Amino acid sequence: MIFDRPVQESWGYGISVAQMLELPELAGTTCVAGAAGLRRRIERLNIMEVPDIGPWMREQELLLTTGYPLREDPEQLVGLVVELDERGAAGLGIKLGRYLDELPARVLEEAERRSFPVLTLPDIGFDDVLSVVLSEVLNRQSVLLARSEHLHHELLQRITAGRGWPRSPTTCRAWSAPACW
């Protein structure tokens, strides 16, 4: 049943980086730094095509890259990690092997210091990553919407029948209604 857990425990907009790592289609994706930040939420994704991507990044966005824009000077990734973290990004996913063989130690140290997740991606197309993660985000949002609609209907029924707002702790927990807390 979709209404069996409180919203704040398992649902909401987006998915956490940790939940993304659990998706079977993304097996082989590894967090190489910033694991303390795996609770950061992903609501959208972006792909890095230019070195100055920062101004186009949004909060709760996961940035995917092959490292191509920074292949000549991988140390620039340190500044990228800083900027992404300051903008509230969810993390950085890098596909190693084509343009960058490894991440500079300073990048990993900075990500670790900031609890900013840096992920290495397996040999999978970015379109597949986008599809899988965004599908999961949208599925969770549709469940949240369905739950909200159900609760709205239930409340309207109670109020129009003259039964008022539910005050039972069991009902409040099941509904995760802020007014019940």
Side-chain angles (χ1 to χ4, degrees):
M1 182 171 181
I2 62 174
F3 308 115
D4 62 348
R5 289 175 279 172
V7 171
Q8 70 271 18
E9 288 182 14
S10 50
W11 300 104
Y13 293 111
I15 62 171
S16 69
V17 176
Q19 289 168 321
M20 178 195 139
L21 292 173
E22 294 172 2
L23 296 173
E25 300 90 343
L26 300 179
T29 301
T30 307
C31 182
V32 295
L38 290 177
R39 296 184 75 179
R40 290 180 184 230
R41 307 231 30 104
I42 302 168
E43 286 187 8
R44 59 184 77 71
L45 292 94
N46 202 338
I47 297 176
M48 183 178 189
E49 293 183 352
V50 295
D52 60 340
I53 187 74
W56 290 278
M57 289 296 297
R58 297 182 184 161
E59 287 186 6
Q60 300 185 332
E61 196 164 51
L62 177 69
L63 181 64
L64 305 177
T65 185
T66 60
Y68 180 80
L70 305 175
R71 69 192 179 287
E72 301 298 325
D73 185 9
E75 290 291 326
Q76 289 182 52
L77 284 166
V78 175
L80 179 64
V81 164
V82 170
E83 185 171 17
L84 293 175
D85 181 51
E86 288 174 353
R87 290 184 174 276
L92 175 64
I94 302 177
K95 192 186 301 188
L96 296 175
R98 186 158 185 192
Y99 300 106
L100 297 176
D101 290 326
E102 63 183 10
L103 294 169
R106 286 187 47 223
V107 173
L108 302 176
E109 291 164 7
E110 187 63 27
E112 197 63 36
R113 188 177 77 73
R114 292 174 169 275
S115 298
F116 183 78
V118 174
L119 314 173
T120 55
L121 302 168
D123 191 20
I124 182 174
F126 284 165
D127 60 330
D128 292 328
V129 176
L130 292 167
S131 177
V132 167
V133 174
L134 290 176
S135 290
E136 186 68 18
V137 168
L138 291 173
N139 286 341
R140 287 172 181 260
Q141 287 177 344
S142 73
V143 167
L144 186 60
L145 182 60
R147 181 180 180 154
S148 177
E149 187 176 315
H150 172 77
L151 294 177
H152 180 258
H153 176 77
E154 290 292 317
L155 282 172
L156 281 176
Q157 292 296 321
R158 288 186 62 85
I159 291 168
T160 57
R163 294 191 316 249
W165 187 263
R167 294 284 177 205
S168 134
T170 303
T171 304
C172 290
R173 263 195 311 277
W175 286 8
S176 299
C180 294
W181 299 341

